[in-house]
mmCIF file with all atom_site columns, all heavy atoms in Angstrom:
data_model
loop_
_atom_site.group_PDB
_atom_site.id
_atom_site.type_symbol
_atom_site.label_atom_id
_atom_site.label_alt_id
_atom_site.label_comp_id
_atom_site.label_asym_id
_atom_site.label_entity_id
_atom_site.label_seq_id
_atom_site.pdbx_PDB_ins_code
_atom_site.Cartn_x
_atom_site.Cartn_y
_atom_site.Cartn_z
_atom_site.occupancy
_atom_site.B_iso_or_equiv
_atom_site.pdbx_formal_charge
_atom_site.auth_seq_id
_atom_site.auth_comp_id
_atom_site.auth_asym_id
_atom_site.auth_atom_id
_atom_site.pdbx_PDB_model_num
ATOM 1   N N   . ARG A 1 133 ? -4.893  17.489 -5.304  1.00 96.00 ? 133 ARG A N   1
ATOM 2   C CA  . ARG A 1 133 ? -5.608  18.723 -4.951  1.00 96.00 ? 133 ARG A CA  1
ATOM 3   C C   . ARG A 1 133 ? -4.766  19.960 -5.264  1.00 96.00 ? 133 ARG A C   1
ATOM 4   O O   . ARG A 1 133 ? -5.280  20.958 -5.762  1.00 96.00 ? 133 ARG A O   1
ATOM 5   C CB  . ARG A 1 133 ? -6.000  18.688 -3.483  1.00 96.00 ? 133 ARG A CB  1
ATOM 6   C CG  . ARG A 1 133 ? -7.099  17.681 -3.199  1.00 96.00 ? 133 ARG A CG  1
ATOM 7   C CD  . ARG A 1 133 ? -7.359  17.532 -1.730  1.00 96.00 ? 133 ARG A CD  1
ATOM 8   N NE  . ARG A 1 133 ? -8.457  16.598 -1.508  1.00 96.00 ? 133 ARG A NE  1
ATOM 9   C CZ  . ARG A 1 133 ? -8.665  15.969 -0.376  1.00 96.00 ? 133 ARG A CZ  1
ATOM 10  N NH1 . ARG A 1 133 ? -7.869  16.159 0.664   1.00 96.00 ? 133 ARG A NH1 1
ATOM 11  N NH2 . ARG A 1 133 ? -9.672  15.139 -0.258  1.00 96.00 ? 133 ARG A NH2 1
ATOM 12  N N   . MET A 1 134 ? -3.477  19.910 -4.961  1.00 94.00 ? 134 MET A N   1
ATOM 13  C CA  . MET A 1 134 ? -2.586  21.034 -5.281  1.00 94.00 ? 134 MET A CA  1
ATOM 14  C C   . MET A 1 134 ? -2.494  21.225 -6.787  1.00 94.00 ? 134 MET A C   1
ATOM 15  O O   . MET A 1 134 ? -2.520  22.351 -7.296  1.00 94.00 ? 134 MET A O   1
ATOM 16  C CB  . MET A 1 134 ? -1.190  20.801 -4.701  1.00 94.00 ? 134 MET A CB  1
ATOM 17  C CG  . MET A 1 134 ? -1.109  20.917 -3.215  1.00 94.00 ? 134 MET A CG  1
ATOM 18  S SD  . MET A 1 134 ? 0.587   20.549 -2.688  1.00 94.00 ? 134 MET A SD  1
ATOM 19  C CE  . MET A 1 134 ? 0.548   21.191 -1.027  1.00 94.00 ? 134 MET A CE  1
ATOM 20  N N   . ASN A 1 135 ? -2.384  20.127 -7.490  1.00 92.00 ? 135 ASN A N   1
ATOM 21  C CA  . ASN A 1 135 ? -2.253  20.151 -8.940  1.00 92.00 ? 135 ASN A CA  1
ATOM 22  C C   . ASN A 1 135 ? -3.459  20.827 -9.587  1.00 92.00 ? 135 ASN A C   1
ATOM 23  O O   . ASN A 1 135 ? -3.323  21.565 -10.563 1.00 92.00 ? 135 ASN A O   1
ATOM 24  C CB  . ASN A 1 135 ? -2.100  18.714 -9.442  1.00 92.00 ? 135 ASN A CB  1
ATOM 25  C CG  . ASN A 1 135 ? -1.600  18.626 -10.850 1.00 92.00 ? 135 ASN A CG  1
ATOM 26  O OD1 . ASN A 1 135 ? -0.676  19.329 -11.227 1.00 92.00 ? 135 ASN A OD1 1
ATOM 27  N ND2 . ASN A 1 135 ? -2.196  17.748 -11.621 1.00 92.00 ? 135 ASN A ND2 1
ATOM 28  N N   . ARG A 1 136 ? -4.637  20.606 -9.044  1.00 95.00 ? 136 ARG A N   1
ATOM 29  C CA  . ARG A 1 136 ? -5.856  21.203 -9.596  1.00 95.00 ? 136 ARG A CA  1
ATOM 30  C C   . ARG A 1 136 ? -5.883  22.715 -9.447  1.00 95.00 ? 136 ARG A C   1
ATOM 31  O O   . ARG A 1 136 ? -6.564  23.398 -10.205 1.00 95.00 ? 136 ARG A O   1
ATOM 32  C CB  . ARG A 1 136 ? -7.090  20.599 -8.922  1.00 95.00 ? 136 ARG A CB  1
ATOM 33  C CG  . ARG A 1 136 ? -7.348  19.191 -9.371  1.00 95.00 ? 136 ARG A CG  1
ATOM 34  C CD  . ARG A 1 136 ? -8.583  18.565 -8.799  1.00 95.00 ? 136 ARG A CD  1
ATOM 35  N NE  . ARG A 1 136 ? -9.533  19.488 -8.205  1.00 95.00 ? 136 ARG A NE  1
ATOM 36  C CZ  . ARG A 1 136 ? -10.523 19.107 -7.423  1.00 95.00 ? 136 ARG A CZ  1
ATOM 37  N NH1 . ARG A 1 136 ? -10.675 17.841 -7.135  1.00 95.00 ? 136 ARG A NH1 1
ATOM 38  N NH2 . ARG A 1 136 ? -11.356 19.993 -6.917  1.00 95.00 ? 136 ARG A NH2 1
ATOM 39  N N   . VAL A 1 137 ? -5.130  23.251 -8.495  1.00 97.00 ? 137 VAL A N   1
ATOM 40  C CA  . VAL A 1 137 ? -5.082  24.702 -8.279  1.00 97.00 ? 137 VAL A CA  1
ATOM 41  C C   . VAL A 1 137 ? -4.218  25.379 -9.350  1.00 97.00 ? 137 VAL A C   1
ATOM 42  O O   . VAL A 1 137 ? -4.453  26.531 -9.697  1.00 97.00 ? 137 VAL A O   1
ATOM 43  C CB  . VAL A 1 137 ? -4.548  25.025 -6.864  1.00 97.00 ? 137 VAL A CB  1
ATOM 44  C CG1 . VAL A 1 137 ? -4.313  26.505 -6.664  1.00 97.00 ? 137 VAL A CG1 1
ATOM 45  C CG2 . VAL A 1 137 ? -5.496  24.470 -5.800  1.00 97.00 ? 137 VAL A CG2 1
ATOM 46  N N   . LEU A 1 138 ? -3.240  24.660 -9.883  1.00 96.00 ? 138 LEU A N   1
ATOM 47  C CA  . LEU A 1 138 ? -2.281  25.218 -10.836 1.00 96.00 ? 138 LEU A CA  1
ATOM 48  C C   . LEU A 1 138 ? -2.771  25.115 -12.273 1.00 96.00 ? 138 LEU A C   1
ATOM 49  O O   . LEU A 1 138 ? -3.516  24.203 -12.619 1.00 96.00 ? 138 LEU A O   1
ATOM 50  C CB  . LEU A 1 138 ? -0.940  24.485 -10.714 1.00 96.00 ? 138 LEU A CB  1
ATOM 51  C CG  . LEU A 1 138 ? -0.258  24.520 -9.359  1.00 96.00 ? 138 LEU A CG  1
ATOM 52  C CD1 . LEU A 1 138 ? 0.956   23.616 -9.365  1.00 96.00 ? 138 LEU A CD1 1
ATOM 53  C CD2 . LEU A 1 138 ? 0.105   25.929 -8.966  1.00 96.00 ? 138 LEU A CD2 1
ATOM 54  N N   . THR A 1 139 ? -2.283  26.033 -13.099 1.00 96.00 ? 139 THR A N   1
ATOM 55  C CA  . THR A 1 139 ? -2.534  25.955 -14.537 1.00 96.00 ? 139 THR A CA  1
ATOM 56  C C   . THR A 1 139 ? -1.555  24.948 -15.143 1.00 96.00 ? 139 THR A C   1
ATOM 57  O O   . THR A 1 139 ? -0.527  24.625 -14.531 1.00 96.00 ? 139 THR A O   1
ATOM 58  C CB  . THR A 1 139 ? -2.312  27.325 -15.214 1.00 96.00 ? 139 THR A CB  1
ATOM 59  O OG1 . THR A 1 139 ? -0.919  27.659 -15.130 1.00 96.00 ? 139 THR A OG1 1
ATOM 60  C CG2 . THR A 1 139 ? -3.172  28.415 -14.585 1.00 96.00 ? 139 THR A CG2 1
ATOM 61  N N   . PRO A 1 140 ? -1.822  24.472 -16.354 1.00 96.00 ? 140 PRO A N   1
ATOM 62  C CA  . PRO A 1 140 ? -0.868  23.557 -16.997 1.00 96.00 ? 140 PRO A CA  1
ATOM 63  C C   . PRO A 1 140 ? 0.541   24.166 -17.120 1.00 96.00 ? 140 PRO A C   1
ATOM 64  O O   . PRO A 1 140 ? 1.539   23.469 -16.922 1.00 96.00 ? 140 PRO A O   1
ATOM 65  C CB  . PRO A 1 140 ? -1.484  23.301 -18.373 1.00 96.00 ? 140 PRO A CB  1
ATOM 66  C CG  . PRO A 1 140 ? -2.953  23.491 -18.153 1.00 96.00 ? 140 PRO A CG  1
ATOM 67  C CD  . PRO A 1 140 ? -3.045  24.602 -17.135 1.00 96.00 ? 140 PRO A CD  1
ATOM 68  N N   . GLU A 1 141 ? 0.609   25.461 -17.414 1.00 96.00 ? 141 GLU A N   1
ATOM 69  C CA  . GLU A 1 141 ? 1.914   26.126 -17.532 1.00 96.00 ? 141 GLU A CA  1
ATOM 70  C C   . GLU A 1 141 ? 2.641   26.140 -16.185 1.00 96.00 ? 141 GLU A C   1
ATOM 71  O O   . GLU A 1 141 ? 3.857   25.940 -16.121 1.00 96.00 ? 141 GLU A O   1
ATOM 72  C CB  . GLU A 1 141 ? 1.749   27.553 -18.058 1.00 96.00 ? 141 GLU A CB  1
ATOM 73  C CG  . GLU A 1 141 ? 1.207   27.656 -19.469 1.00 96.00 ? 141 GLU A CG  1
ATOM 74  C CD  . GLU A 1 141 ? -0.322  27.486 -19.554 1.00 96.00 ? 141 GLU A CD  1
ATOM 75  O OE1 . GLU A 1 141 ? -1.024  27.701 -18.536 1.00 96.00 ? 141 GLU A OE1 1
ATOM 76  O OE2 . GLU A 1 141 ? -0.803  27.105 -20.626 1.00 96.00 ? 141 GLU A OE2 1
ATOM 77  N N   . GLN A 1 142 ? 1.897   26.388 -15.118 1.00 96.00 ? 142 GLN A N   1
ATOM 78  C CA  . GLN A 1 142 ? 2.502   26.400 -13.785 1.00 96.00 ? 142 GLN A CA  1
ATOM 79  C C   . GLN A 1 142 ? 2.998   25.014 -13.395 1.00 96.00 ? 142 GLN A C   1
ATOM 80  O O   . GLN A 1 142 ? 4.035   24.887 -12.757 1.00 96.00 ? 142 GLN A O   1
ATOM 81  C CB  . GLN A 1 142 ? 1.506   26.920 -12.744 1.00 96.00 ? 142 GLN A CB  1
ATOM 82  C CG  . GLN A 1 142 ? 1.240   28.409 -12.872 1.00 96.00 ? 142 GLN A CG  1
ATOM 83  C CD  . GLN A 1 142 ? 0.087   28.863 -12.019 1.00 96.00 ? 142 GLN A CD  1
ATOM 84  O OE1 . GLN A 1 142 ? -0.898  28.141 -11.827 1.00 96.00 ? 142 GLN A OE1 1
ATOM 85  N NE2 . GLN A 1 142 ? 0.186   30.080 -11.495 1.00 96.00 ? 142 GLN A NE2 1
ATOM 86  N N   . ARG A 1 143 ? 2.282   23.988 -13.797 1.00 95.00 ? 143 ARG A N   1
ATOM 87  C CA  . ARG A 1 143 ? 2.729   22.618 -13.507 1.00 95.00 ? 143 ARG A CA  1
ATOM 88  C C   . ARG A 1 143 ? 4.070   22.341 -14.160 1.00 95.00 ? 143 ARG A C   1
ATOM 89  O O   . ARG A 1 143 ? 4.954   21.731 -13.557 1.00 95.00 ? 143 ARG A O   1
ATOM 90  C CB  . ARG A 1 143 ? 1.687   21.616 -13.978 1.00 95.00 ? 143 ARG A CB  1
ATOM 91  C CG  . ARG A 1 143 ? 0.417   21.655 -13.176 1.00 95.00 ? 143 ARG A CG  1
ATOM 92  C CD  . ARG A 1 143 ? -0.603  20.640 -13.697 1.00 95.00 ? 143 ARG A CD  1
ATOM 93  N NE  . ARG A 1 143 ? -1.911  21.029 -13.230 1.00 95.00 ? 143 ARG A NE  1
ATOM 94  C CZ  . ARG A 1 143 ? -2.983  21.133 -13.994 1.00 95.00 ? 143 ARG A CZ  1
ATOM 95  N NH1 . ARG A 1 143 ? -2.921  20.825 -15.278 1.00 95.00 ? 143 ARG A NH1 1
ATOM 96  N NH2 . ARG A 1 143 ? -4.128  21.511 -13.475 1.00 95.00 ? 143 ARG A NH2 1
ATOM 97  N N   . LEU A 1 144 ? 4.228   22.801 -15.393 1.00 94.00 ? 144 LEU A N   1
ATOM 98  C CA  . LEU A 1 144 ? 5.507   22.625 -16.087 1.00 94.00 ? 144 LEU A CA  1
ATOM 99  C C   . LEU A 1 144 ? 6.623   23.393 -15.376 1.00 94.00 ? 144 LEU A C   1
ATOM 100 O O   . LEU A 1 144 ? 7.751   22.907 -15.254 1.00 94.00 ? 144 LEU A O   1
ATOM 101 C CB  . LEU A 1 144 ? 5.393   23.074 -17.537 1.00 94.00 ? 144 LEU A CB  1
ATOM 102 C CG  . LEU A 1 144 ? 4.519   22.202 -18.441 1.00 94.00 ? 144 LEU A CG  1
ATOM 103 C CD1 . LEU A 1 144 ? 4.360   22.850 -19.815 1.00 94.00 ? 144 LEU A CD1 1
ATOM 104 C CD2 . LEU A 1 144 ? 5.093   20.796 -18.559 1.00 94.00 ? 144 LEU A CD2 1
ATOM 105 N N   . LYS A 1 145 ? 6.299   24.591 -14.915 1.00 93.00 ? 145 LYS A N   1
ATOM 106 C CA  . LYS A 1 145 ? 7.300   25.396 -14.204 1.00 93.00 ? 145 LYS A CA  1
ATOM 107 C C   . LYS A 1 145 ? 7.681   24.754 -12.873 1.00 93.00 ? 145 LYS A C   1
ATOM 108 O O   . LYS A 1 145 ? 8.847   24.806 -12.471 1.00 93.00 ? 145 LYS A O   1
ATOM 109 C CB  . LYS A 1 145 ? 6.783   26.815 -13.986 1.00 93.00 ? 145 LYS A CB  1
ATOM 110 C CG  . LYS A 1 145 ? 6.698   27.622 -15.270 1.00 93.00 ? 145 LYS A CG  1
ATOM 111 C CD  . LYS A 1 145 ? 6.120   29.002 -15.023 1.00 93.00 ? 145 LYS A CD  1
ATOM 112 C CE  . LYS A 1 145 ? 5.998   29.806 -16.296 1.00 93.00 ? 145 LYS A CE  1
ATOM 113 N NZ  . LYS A 1 145 ? 5.440   31.145 -16.054 1.00 93.00 ? 145 LYS A NZ  1
ATOM 114 N N   . VAL A 1 146 ? 6.725   24.155 -12.181 1.00 91.00 ? 146 VAL A N   1
ATOM 115 C CA  . VAL A 1 146 ? 7.030   23.459 -10.924 1.00 91.00 ? 146 VAL A CA  1
ATOM 116 C C   . VAL A 1 146 ? 7.966   22.290 -11.206 1.00 91.00 ? 146 VAL A C   1
ATOM 117 O O   . VAL A 1 146 ? 8.924   22.055 -10.471 1.00 91.00 ? 146 VAL A O   1
ATOM 118 C CB  . VAL A 1 146 ? 5.740   22.981 -10.205 1.00 91.00 ? 146 VAL A CB  1
ATOM 119 C CG1 . VAL A 1 146 ? 6.054   22.009 -9.081  1.00 91.00 ? 146 VAL A CG1 1
ATOM 120 C CG2 . VAL A 1 146 ? 4.967   24.177 -9.670  1.00 91.00 ? 146 VAL A CG2 1
ATOM 121 N N   . LYS A 1 147 ? 7.712   21.568 -12.285 1.00 90.00 ? 147 LYS A N   1
ATOM 122 C CA  . LYS A 1 147 ? 8.584   20.450 -12.650 1.00 90.00 ? 147 LYS A CA  1
ATOM 123 C C   . LYS A 1 147 ? 9.996   20.947 -12.936 1.00 90.00 ? 147 LYS A C   1
ATOM 124 O O   . LYS A 1 147 ? 10.975  20.355 -12.482 1.00 90.00 ? 147 LYS A O   1
ATOM 125 C CB  . LYS A 1 147 ? 8.036   19.693 -13.858 1.00 90.00 ? 147 LYS A CB  1
ATOM 126 C CG  . LYS A 1 147 ? 8.921   18.502 -14.234 1.00 90.00 ? 147 LYS A CG  1
ATOM 127 C CD  . LYS A 1 147 ? 8.445   17.819 -15.476 1.00 90.00 ? 147 LYS A CD  1
ATOM 128 C CE  . LYS A 1 147 ? 9.286   16.638 -15.872 1.00 90.00 ? 147 LYS A CE  1
ATOM 129 N NZ  . LYS A 1 147 ? 10.701  16.705 -15.642 1.00 90.00 ? 147 LYS A NZ  1
ATOM 130 N N   . ALA A 1 148 ? 10.109  22.045 -13.673 1.00 92.00 ? 148 ALA A N   1
ATOM 131 C CA  . ALA A 1 148 ? 11.427  22.605 -13.985 1.00 92.00 ? 148 ALA A CA  1
ATOM 132 C C   . ALA A 1 148 ? 12.140  23.056 -12.712 1.00 92.00 ? 148 ALA A C   1
ATOM 133 O O   . ALA A 1 148 ? 13.345  22.835 -12.555 1.00 92.00 ? 148 ALA A O   1
ATOM 134 C CB  . ALA A 1 148 ? 11.296  23.773 -14.966 1.00 92.00 ? 148 ALA A CB  1
ATOM 135 N N   . LEU A 1 149 ? 11.409  23.684 -11.799 1.00 89.00 ? 149 LEU A N   1
ATOM 136 C CA  . LEU A 1 149 ? 11.985  24.100 -10.520 1.00 89.00 ? 149 LEU A CA  1
ATOM 137 C C   . LEU A 1 149 ? 12.487  22.892 -9.740  1.00 89.00 ? 149 LEU A C   1
ATOM 138 O O   . LEU A 1 149 ? 13.596  22.900 -9.208  1.00 89.00 ? 149 LEU A O   1
ATOM 139 C CB  . LEU A 1 149 ? 10.943  24.870 -9.694  1.00 89.00 ? 149 LEU A CB  1
ATOM 140 C CG  . LEU A 1 149 ? 11.348  25.286 -8.280  1.00 89.00 ? 149 LEU A CG  1
ATOM 141 C CD1 . LEU A 1 149 ? 12.492  26.295 -8.327  1.00 89.00 ? 149 LEU A CD1 1
ATOM 142 C CD2 . LEU A 1 149 ? 10.141  25.872 -7.545  1.00 89.00 ? 149 LEU A CD2 1
ATOM 143 N N   . HIS A 1 150 ? 11.690  21.855 -9.693  1.00 86.00 ? 150 HIS A N   1
ATOM 144 C CA  . HIS A 1 150 ? 12.101  20.630 -9.001  1.00 86.00 ? 150 HIS A CA  1
ATOM 145 C C   . HIS A 1 150 ? 13.349  20.018 -9.644  1.00 86.00 ? 150 HIS A C   1
ATOM 146 O O   . HIS A 1 150 ? 14.291  19.637 -8.945  1.00 86.00 ? 150 HIS A O   1
ATOM 147 C CB  . HIS A 1 150 ? 10.972  19.604 -8.991  1.00 86.00 ? 150 HIS A CB  1
ATOM 148 C CG  . HIS A 1 150 ? 11.417  18.272 -8.522  1.00 86.00 ? 150 HIS A CG  1
ATOM 149 N ND1 . HIS A 1 150 ? 11.748  18.024 -7.207  1.00 86.00 ? 150 HIS A ND1 1
ATOM 150 C CD2 . HIS A 1 150 ? 11.645  17.123 -9.182  1.00 86.00 ? 150 HIS A CD2 1
ATOM 151 C CE1 . HIS A 1 150 ? 12.147  16.777 -7.091  1.00 86.00 ? 150 HIS A CE1 1
ATOM 152 N NE2 . HIS A 1 150 ? 12.094  16.212 -8.274  1.00 86.00 ? 150 HIS A NE2 1
ATOM 153 N N   . ASP A 1 151 ? 13.354  19.932 -10.971 1.00 91.00 ? 151 ASP A N   1
ATOM 154 C CA  . ASP A 1 151 ? 14.520  19.368 -11.668 1.00 91.00 ? 151 ASP A CA  1
ATOM 155 C C   . ASP A 1 151 ? 15.783  20.165 -11.356 1.00 91.00 ? 151 ASP A C   1
ATOM 156 O O   . ASP A 1 151 ? 16.850  19.594 -11.127 1.00 91.00 ? 151 ASP A O   1
ATOM 157 C CB  . ASP A 1 151 ? 14.284  19.344 -13.176 1.00 91.00 ? 151 ASP A CB  1
ATOM 158 C CG  . ASP A 1 151 ? 13.254  18.300 -13.592 1.00 91.00 ? 151 ASP A CG  1
ATOM 159 O OD1 . ASP A 1 151 ? 12.877  17.444 -12.762 1.00 91.00 ? 151 ASP A OD1 1
ATOM 160 O OD2 . ASP A 1 151 ? 12.811  18.361 -14.766 1.00 91.00 ? 151 ASP A OD2 1
#
Side-chain angles (χ1 to χ4, degrees):
R133 289 173 178 159
M134 289 178 165
N135 195 44
R136 287 183 16 194
V137 173
L138 301 173
T139 67
E141 295 80 22
Q142 289 170 325
R143 291 179 200 130
L144 291 173
K145 290 177 181 180
V146 168
K147 181 184 180 324
L149 175 65
H150 170 71
D151 289 348

